[in-house]
Amino acid sequence: MSLNPVELSFELAALRCADLTPLVYRRLFDQHPEAQVMFRSEGGDLVRGSMLALTIEAILDFAGERRGHFRLIACELASHEAYGTSRQLFIAFFAIIRDTLRDLLGDEWSIAIAQAWDTLLDDIDALASTPA
């Protein structure tokens, strides 16, 4: 297992859940019903799964070695704004992923994991607030 607490949270979640996609999007749509209309009905599951996979890849890179995948966050922020997605909703998606993992991990959601996610979300917010 990884020593990086954010990566560890995903590894522990994978032991409990084969696919985070339905859990993440259920939470997203519950908290932000306006987001549901942004996804087409046909092929929506594939789009959501792909979007989540890319987001997780960017999160892991941003929380880890920052080899470049994290740059996707700033690029996708710009493209999502062009689609009419607010910056706040875009940033909220990362917290929704965190909250989904926290619920899955239960007692294994440690102080170290919580602090690492808090730092990550602050860093993502700062990245998204930086002018392109």
Side-chain angles (χ1 to χ4, degrees):
M1 292 232 176
S2 171
L3 296 178
N4 176 315
V6 171
E7 189 173 340
L8 177 62
S9 68
F10 282 105
E11 289 176 7
L12 292 171
L15 297 172
R16 291 162 181 72
C17 178
D19 184 6
L20 291 173
T21 307
L23 300 176
V24 167
Y25 282 92
R26 185 175 314 123
R27 184 181 295 265
L28 174 66
F29 298 150
D30 285 349
Q31 292 181 12
H32 300 277
E34 72 278 14
Q36 195 156 7
V37 298
M38 296 175 178
F39 290 89
R40 58 186 178 159
S41 55
E42 276 188 49
D45 290 342
L46 183 60
V47 170
R48 287 189 285 266
S50 176
M51 189 170 113
L52 181 59
L54 288 172
T55 304
I56 290 170
E57 188 176 318
I59 287 170
L60 292 173
D61 187 51
F62 198 63
E65 297 180 17
R66 295 193 182 185
R67 293 181 181 201
H69 294 287
F70 76 92
R71 289 187 177 90
L72 182 68
I73 296 169
C75 294
E76 286 299 319
L77 174 62
S79 70
H80 278 72
E81 283 182 326
Y83 292 133
T85 303
S86 71
R87 185 174 294 257
Q88 294 77 16
L89 179 57
F90 182 86
I91 297 300
F93 189 64
F94 295 93
I96 285 168
I97 293 169
R98 182 231 17 227
D99 295 346
T100 302
L101 294 173
R102 185 188 60 222
D103 288 354
L104 271 173
L105 297 187
D107 291 343
E108 288 191 274
W109 184 262
S110 67
I111 292 171
I113 291 173
Q115 289 173 338
W117 269 97
D118 288 347
T119 299
L120 176 76
L121 293 177
D122 288 344
D123 290 349
I124 288 171
D125 189 50
L127 176 72
S129 299
T130 303

